[in-house]
Amino acid sequence: MYPTYGYAARDAASPLAAFEFQRRDLRELDVRIDVLFCGVCHSDLHQARDEWRNTIYPVVPGHEIVGRVAETGKGVTKYKVGELVGVGCLVDSCRTCPSCAEGLEQYCENGFVGTYNGTDRVSGDVTFGGYSTQLVVDEAFVLRVPENLELAAVAPLLCAGITTYSPLRTWGAGPGKKVGIVGLGGLGHMGVKLAHAMGAHVVLFTTSPSKIEDGKRLGADEVVISKDPEQMKAHINSFDLIVNTVAAQHDLNPFIELLRRDGTMTLVGAPEHDHPSPQVFNLIMKRRRLAGSLIGGIAETQEMLDFCGKHGITSDIEMIKMQDINNAYERMLKSDVKYRFVIDLDSLRK
Ligand code: NAP
Ligand code: ZN
Ligand code: ZN
């Protein structure tokens, strides 16, 4: 076993605090990774505070992980000690169901194993995430990190990047397509960068007038203040795809009205409380679709990382120490993130 230092929430109401635990001995195909940086996803906050009502305490969040291979199990062939690698939201799945066979492990029909708050398929132990000094993961769920990118700014790609890349690919974002991204947070700013790089016409919807300039700098062709009905009306019946990343309950109708016939809005934001049902006629009159999308499988995550390497895409980050995490959560709740907090795990080693 490997003594490991992390930060955990002990219950839904307490702040995160220092927590010592053990990582498992290496299995045949395991890789032990020294965690260098870990992004802070809004899902970490939802789960630390049990907003999805399924948290097992103590919980060590963190699923946007980059680090260096420190040790490999006897059967490992994909990675060598010293290599830079990434781990996202998944650390295992059944690997045999139809979804797994298609490389869609996030939809594993027997339940994927989350990087934290998951249940290990062998030992039954609860998994602990990347707010920690090291990680032990099966090589099949480890990603290769492009070497030309700044490592800390790569970490958020492992969740925010793939969660926006996957629906953009699924619904065909590209040249000639008008794509909306709702919310300029961690997911949203990656959605803007990726949709722009795919060649789509990108419109950012934000509630924060202070983010207009940033939206354009990040790759939006247009920025719309979503609270302004006049600005919204100008885009009626025009979108092929809208990716909605908002982390709070809100009215979906003003966005659905902007879809063209056969257009799709996909929800990726996963708020504590469901959105009210949108108007049915708003959907049926134009054969519009309301969809959802969950992160991405391992193969698509590698494809996304390679795409980012090729296009020089990383996250805009603000580096924090592990000890600053509770303040970062409060700022995230105020939409005051530019545009992803990333924890420097050296702050736990000292
Ligand atoms: P984030 O950084 O906090 O960004 C969320 C953004 O939503 C904010 O920056 C803000 O953008 C907007 N927003 C927040 N509250 C709002 C409100 N009341 N009304 C309208 N807009 C509001 O969060 P994130 O890390 O990007 O995560 C976003 C959501 O996606 C979370 O619920 C998270 O759990 C979920 N998620 C889902 C998946 C998946 O697989 N489906 C994966 C990862 C995360 P503006 O200031 O621009 O309005
Ligand atoms: Zn996430
Ligand atoms: Zn499966």
Side-chain angles (χ1 to χ4, degrees), residues 47-339:
Q47 296 205 59
R49 299 184 180 180
D50 199 23
E51 291 178 356
W52 294 343
R53 295 167 285 276
N54 66 354
T55 304
I56 305 161
Y57 293 98
V59 62
V60 177
H63 57 207
E64 294 185 337
I65 301 161
V66 290
R68 201 177 282 286
V69 176
E71 192 181 350
T72 55
K74 286 194 194 76
V76 169
T77 54
K78 277 178 74 184
Y79 299 101
K80 291 194 176 63
V81 171
E83 280 184 317
L84 290 174
V85 292
V87 176
C89 305
L90 307 169
V91 290
D92 203 358
S93 69
C94 85
R95 310 187 197 198
T96 56
C97 74
S99 293
C100 285
E102 281 185 63
L104 299 169
E105 298 89 354
Q106 76 275 35
Y107 303 117
C108 174
E109 282 139 60
N110 296 302
F112 67 81
V113 181
T115 302
Y116 62 86
N117 204 43
T119 305
D120 184 80
R121 291 179 62 85
V122 177
S123 66
D125 291 337
V126 174
T127 55
F128 291 134
Y131 293 7
S132 64
T133 49
Q134 60 185 342
L135 201 69
V136 174
V137 186
D138 188 302
E139 66 169 342
F141 287 76
V142 176
L143 286 307
R144 220 169 275 286
V145 166
E147 281 170 19
N148 58 319
L149 302 177
E150 185 202 333
L151 191 64
V154 166
L157 302 180
L158 275 307
C159 175
I162 183 59
T163 301
T164 47
Y165 182 90
S166 184
L168 289 169
R169 281 286 189 235
T170 297
W171 282 281
K177 293 289 169 74
K178 186 170 173 182
V179 172
I181 304 289
V182 188
L184 195 65
L187 267 58
H189 95 292
M190 289 314 309
V192 168
K193 289 187 185 205
L194 292 166
H196 174 74
M198 290 173 189
H201 181 88
V202 183
V203 180
L204 167 68
F205 296 94
T206 178
T207 58
S208 309
S210 63
K211 295 181 184 173
I212 294 174
E213 285 316 309
D214 277 351
K216 290 188 175 154
R217 173 179 61 80
L218 295 165
D221 297 286
E222 301 175 66
V223 180
V224 171
I225 302 299
S226 54
K227 286 175 172 160
D228 179 347
E230 286 304 311
Q231 288 190 39
M232 293 290 276
K233 226 165 73 186
H235 291 272
I236 210 136
N237 299 336
S238 67
F239 280 88
D240 297 286
L241 173 65
I242 297 177
V243 180
N244 187 329
T245 77
V246 173
Q249 184 190 50
H250 64 283
D251 183 7
L252 302 178
N253 288 302
F255 297 105
I256 291 174
E257 286 164 10
L258 306 188
L259 296 172
R260 60 189 303 159
R261 197 204 72 220
D262 289 321
T264 299
M265 175 156 81
T266 183
L267 304 178
V268 291
E272 177 179 9
H273 302 291
D274 284 331
H275 308 298
S277 170
Q279 284 156 18
V280 173
F281 271 82
N282 238 342
L283 291 165
I284 63 181
M285 292 307 282
K286 290 202 180 298
R287 199 162 56 186
R288 291 163 169 150
R289 293 162 205 171
L290 181 61
S293 184
L294 177 68
I295 46 175
I298 294 301
E300 194 174 42
T301 304
Q302 189 62 62
E303 178 190 309
M304 176 275 308
L305 286 166
D306 297 344
F307 179 90
C308 288
K310 188 170 157 223
H311 292 269
I313 295 173
T314 52
S315 172
D316 284 29
I317 65 166
E318 180 177 337
M319 194 91 80
I320 60 167
K321 297 190 183 100
M322 188 69 256
Q323 295 77 3
D324 298 332
I325 188 65
N326 295 299
N327 182 43
Y329 278 8
E330 292 313 312
R331 284 184 52 197
M332 187 153 66
L333 283 173
K334 290 186 239 158
S335 302
D336 175 25
V337 195
K338 299 232 164 50
Y339 280 91

